[in-house]
């Protein structure tokens, strides 16, 4: 690891410690000792102190705030003094302004001390740096292993000859086994309610007609490694796409352009360049390409670069979901491009405790095609469009520990333009159905609107009523999702959602030092 990163982060941490000394002059001597302890640890362990060790302590601090007491742990830099307070010796002065010596949370903890402590621990949490190759390999292996645990999708998703009427999707209640906790009746009631909520969501979205929506390219990478740099120069258009998105109507700005590049010779409207290679519809089924994007030093973010023609059509579906949701009651619970609703409710939940924050592990990798099929079973045109633009397999050259090609059991990957809205709507349906089931409410639009201010969804960041939290978690796990208990909060007065950390109504979110500073003004 380059020494410049270590030196840079060390300087930033030293400056933050200087700010803490000015805020708490009575701790000046002790904080000076903490600087020496940190420098000694960095010399021994390197950059991992800032990118792994300190964030891990910060995560443990958040859990202690939620539990109302400090719980000793074995993390680096958390050793306590012999016969001293239960809290760590490192940054001990700040710890003792938040917790009593016996570990209990103070009745009136010093909020400024809490902010500085979290700032010192978490400042480099989101520092962008290439992680070790071993971490990339591990992430890919985990992705493959997790996908293998999902149920095999129905043939509807791979065979374009199967119509919606024979898709096999008749609803959650008639297609899922009865095993909801220890009460099968509770399970069945939830699934029946989930079907009702799904119908209401589909009705609010309305019919999808590709002619009504804008087609465009996305900003990210595409699956094609070679070929023309102009994304509008199509090199492939699969038969599945052609059935829903005819290239003559949606792939070209005019029939003249289509006739030049694609139409059979007898239908060509303009002279064809003899040297040009004619695009053949249905010539091959494209796959996406797995890319590792820097996230944290612990591991990368895996994104699948979609085929250019798939992304072109996926953007149309993204526009449909965003626009129709914004014009309906769905917008009171989900806003795809605005996190402020979650953030405000996160702060409110940290005061009253009536709202919990739930985070999910590998959320997009857990959305199954069958979940989507049942969710949108009453919208046949939408279901056909989702099938047509869904990529069936992903290829990777990031590690040799797994095969180069993975036939996907998950519905879609990060990188697909409609992954985010589809997963958000799926989580909304599950949460609403679980809450109404738990509270014994009939699924009607009036009952759903009564939950405004109690439920909010932004991707896998969920704000839910605390009284229904267990029912919601059980429902999510039944549908192959995994609750990230390390980042979910329902007890005490600490909450975290959509980039906001709140304690008793105070925003204690640290400022993150995100990337290496080159010294340039731009």
């Amino acid at each position: 690891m380059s020494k410049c990163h270590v030196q840079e982060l060390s300087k930033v941490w030293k400056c933050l410690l200087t700010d803490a000394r000015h805020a708490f002059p009575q701790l000046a001597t002790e904080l000076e000792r903490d600087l020496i302890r940190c420098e000694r640890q960095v010399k021994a362990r390197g950059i991992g102190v800032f990118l792994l060790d300190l964030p891990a302590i910060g995560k443990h601090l958040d859990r202690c705030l939620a539990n109302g007491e400090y719980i000793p742990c074995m993390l680096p830099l958390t050793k306590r003094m012999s016969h001293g307070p239960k809290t760590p010796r490192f940054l001990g002065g700040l710890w003792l302004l938040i917790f009593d010596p016996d570990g209990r949370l103070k009745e009136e903890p010093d909020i400024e001390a809490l902010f500085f402590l979290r700032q010192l621990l978490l400042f480099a949490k989101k520092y962008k740096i290439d992680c070790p190759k071993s971490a990339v390999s591990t992430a890919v292996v985990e992705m493959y292993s997790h996908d293998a645990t999902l149920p095999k999708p129905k043939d509807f998703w791979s065979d374009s000859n199967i119509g919606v009427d024979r898709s096999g999707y008749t609803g959650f209640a008639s297609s899922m086994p009865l095993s909801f906790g220890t009460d099968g009746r509770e399970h069945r009631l939830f699934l029946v309610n989930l079907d009702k909520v799904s119908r209401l969501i589909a009705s609010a979205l309305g019919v999808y007609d590709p002619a009504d929506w804008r087609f465009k390219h996305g900003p990210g990478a595409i699956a094609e490694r070679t070929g023309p740099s102009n994304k509008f120069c199509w090199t492939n258009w699969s038969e599945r796409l052609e059935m829903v998105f005819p290239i003559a109507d949606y792939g070209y700005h005019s029939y003249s352009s289509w006739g030049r590049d694609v139409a059979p010779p007898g239908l060509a409207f303009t002279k064809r360049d003899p040297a040009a290679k004619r695009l053949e519809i249905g010539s091959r089924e494209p796959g996406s390409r797995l890319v590792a994007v820097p996230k944290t030093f612990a591991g990368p973010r895996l994104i699948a670069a979609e085929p250019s023609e798939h992304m072109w059509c996926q953007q149309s579906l993204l526009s449909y979901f965003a626009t129709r949701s914004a014009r309906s009651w769905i917008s009171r619970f989900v806003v795809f491009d605005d996190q402020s609703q979650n953030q405000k409710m996160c702060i409110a939940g940290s005061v009253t405790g009536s709202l919990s924050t739930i985070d999910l592990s590998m959320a997009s990798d857990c959305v199954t095609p069958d979940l989507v099929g049942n969710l949108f079973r009453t919208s046949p045109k939408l279901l056909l469009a989702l099938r047509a633009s869904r990529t069936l397999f992903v290829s990777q050259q990031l590690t040799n520990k797994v095969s180069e090609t993975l036939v996907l059991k998950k519905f879609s990957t990060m990188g697909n333009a409609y992954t985010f809205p589809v997963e958000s709507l799926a989580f909304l349906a599950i949460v609403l159905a679980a809450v109404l089931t738990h509270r014994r409410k009939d699924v009607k639009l009036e009952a759903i609107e009564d939950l405004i201010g109690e439920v909010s969804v932004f991707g896998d960041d969920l704000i839910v009523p605390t009284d229904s939290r267990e029912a919601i978690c059980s429902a999510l796990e039944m549908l192959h999702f995994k609750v990230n208990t390390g980042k979910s909060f329902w007890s005490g007065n600490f909450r975290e959602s959509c980039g906001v950390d709140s304690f008793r109504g105070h925003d204690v979110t640290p400022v993150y030092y995100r990337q290496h500073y080159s010294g340039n003004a731009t």
Side-chain angles (χ1 to χ4, degrees):
M1 182 59 60
S2 175
K3 290 184 178 180
C4 69
H5 291 285
V6 179
Q7 294 171 351
E8 182 176 9
L9 293 175
S10 296
K11 290 178 181 179
V12 174
W13 198 84
K14 184 176 181 180
C15 291
L16 291 173
L17 203 68
T18 300
D19 289 343
R21 282 205 307 269
H22 289 307
F24 302 96
Q26 73 275 21
L27 301 179
T29 301
E30 191 169 350
L31 291 173
E32 196 65 37
R33 295 195 191 103
D34 292 326
L35 176 61
I36 296 173
R37 294 188 184 106
C38 183
E39 290 175 342
R40 186 185 304 126
Q41 193 77 357
V42 170
K43 187 175 182 179
R45 294 174 58 85
I47 198 171
V49 172
F50 298 118
L51 304 184
L52 300 175
D53 296 346
L54 295 183
I57 301 173
K59 185 176 181 180
H60 183 68
L61 166 61
D62 295 344
R63 185 54 54 190
C64 293
L65 292 172
N67 293 339
E69 66 173 328
Y70 177 78
I71 303 171
C73 63
M74 300 300 292
L75 295 171
L77 290 170
T78 60
K79 185 178 180 180
R80 55 181 288 194
M81 293 185 65
S82 301
H83 308 294
K86 291 179 64 176
T87 52
R89 177 175 57 180
F90 179 65
L91 299 175
L94 295 175
W95 283 98
L96 289 174
L97 292 174
I98 304 165
F99 296 92
D100 288 326
D102 62 0
R104 288 181 296 181
L105 184 65
K106 288 179 177 292
E107 291 187 9
E108 297 293 337
D110 190 315
I111 300 300
E112 189 173 17
L114 175 58
F115 172 79
F116 269 101
L117 181 57
R118 298 188 81 253
Q119 180 67 71
L120 287 163
L121 295 174
L122 298 168
F123 83 103
K125 174 185 175 181
K126 299 185 178 182
Y127 188 73
K128 292 183 179 180
I129 190 171
D130 291 335
C131 61
K133 291 184 179 180
S134 59
V136 176
S137 179
T138 299
V140 176
V141 171
E142 288 179 354
M143 173 187 166
Y144 271 57
S145 299
H146 180 269
D147 199 78
T149 65
L150 299 177
K152 181 181 178 182
K154 292 184 183 298
D155 291 338
F156 167 79
W157 292 102
S158 56
D159 189 348
S160 56
N161 293 320
I162 299 178
V164 175
D165 57 333
R166 295 187 293 112
S167 66
Y169 294 114
T170 56
F172 293 97
S174 60
S175 62
M176 296 194 66
L178 298 177
S179 58
F180 190 62
T182 58
D183 191 344
R185 291 177 299 177
E186 187 82 3
H187 175 195
R188 178 165 180 78
L189 179 59
F190 163 73
L191 294 177
V192 169
N193 286 341
L194 183 55
D195 283 330
K196 293 179 180 178
V197 173
S198 299
R199 281 196 294 270
L200 289 174
I201 290 177
S203 177
L205 293 173
V207 176
Y208 171 75
D209 185 341
D212 296 335
W213 305 100
R214 181 189 177 193
F215 288 70
K216 64 177 184 177
H217 285 294
I222 56 176
E224 293 86 347
R225 289 180 179 273
T226 59
S229 58
N230 186 349
K231 292 181 180 180
F232 292 93
C233 293
W234 306 117
T235 59
N236 185 68
W237 198 274
S238 69
E239 183 179 355
R240 284 194 301 130
L241 277 183
E242 183 68 15
M243 292 181 66
V244 180
F245 306 101
I247 191 172
D249 295 319
Y250 303 112
Y252 288 89
H253 68 279
S254 69
Y255 285 129
S256 175
S257 297
W258 165 74
R260 181 181 65 250
D261 293 347
V262 183
L267 294 179
F269 301 130
T270 61
K271 292 183 178 180
R272 187 187 309 278
D273 182 355
K277 180 180 180 181
R278 186 165 63 89
L279 191 158
E280 296 181 8
I281 302 298
S283 57
R284 62 183 176 86
E285 183 67 47
S288 56
R289 174 171 57 88
L290 198 63
V291 179
V293 178
K295 181 183 177 183
T296 68
F297 189 64
R301 186 188 302 277
L302 297 179
I303 295 177
E306 291 284 311
S308 57
E309 65 273 18
H310 278 214
M311 178 59 72
W312 176 257
C313 297
Q314 290 166 10
Q315 289 287 337
S316 165
L317 284 157
L318 172 60
S319 179
Y320 159 80
F321 282 122
T323 303
R324 290 287 176 80
S325 294
R327 295 174 180 174
S328 72
W329 59 265
I330 296 174
S331 64
R332 304 301 297 273
F333 301 97
V334 177
V335 182
F336 299 128
D337 59 355
D338 186 0
Q339 304 179 52
S340 60
Q341 181 170 274
N342 268 49
Q343 294 170 343
K344 292 176 183 177
M345 292 175 65
C346 170
I347 294 174
S350 71
V351 177
T352 65
S354 61
L355 299 178
S356 298
T357 58
I358 295 179
D359 184 82
L360 301 174
S361 299
M362 303 178 69
S364 59
D365 290 337
C366 299
V367 179
T368 64
D370 292 344
L371 170 64
V372 177
N374 282 312
L375 179 65
F376 297 123
R377 70 192 182 284
T378 59
S379 298
K381 289 186 177 180
L382 174 60
L383 210 54
L384 290 174
L386 292 172
R387 177 180 70 177
S389 54
R390 171 182 180 257
T391 307
L392 300 180
F393 63 91
V394 60
S395 61
Q396 66 84 25
Q397 296 182 355
L398 300 175
T399 180
N400 57 8
K401 292 185 177 180
V402 291
S403 62
E404 291 188 0
T405 302
L406 172 66
V407 178
L408 296 174
K409 290 185 177 180
K410 64 174 69 66
F411 174 66
S412 59
T413 59
M414 294 182 65
N416 182 319
Y418 59 60
T419 290
F420 186 81
V422 167
E423 72 173 6
S424 296
L425 293 173
F427 295 141
L428 176 63
I430 294 168
V431 170
L432 292 177
V435 173
L436 295 176
T437 301
H438 177 75
R439 295 181 177 178
R440 294 296 188 268
K441 300 286 187 179
D442 293 333
V443 179
K444 298 179 179 179
L445 191 54
E446 294 80 4
I448 289 177
E449 290 177 339
D450 287 340
L451 297 178
I452 294 173
E454 290 191 86
V455 173
S456 185
V457 174
F458 189 85
D460 64 346
D461 276 300
L462 315 180
I463 307 287
V464 304
T466 300
D467 72 315
S468 305
R469 187 263 311 172
E470 291 186 6
I472 293 168
C473 290
S474 297
L476 289 167
E477 290 171 358
M478 179 183 65
L479 293 165
H480 305 286
F481 297 103
K482 183 178 180 182
V483 175
N484 184 347
T485 55
K487 295 183 66 177
S488 301
F489 296 91
W490 44 75
S491 62
N493 293 100
F494 181 84
R495 298 291 186 269
E496 174 191 47
S497 181
C498 290
V500 166
D501 306 332
S502 180
F503 179 71
R504 295 186 179 179
H506 298 277
D507 188 339
V508 293
T509 311
V511 178
Y512 298 110
Y513 193 76
R514 295 179 179 270
Q515 61 187 20
H516 171 65
Y517 175 58
S518 63
N520 297 327
T522 56

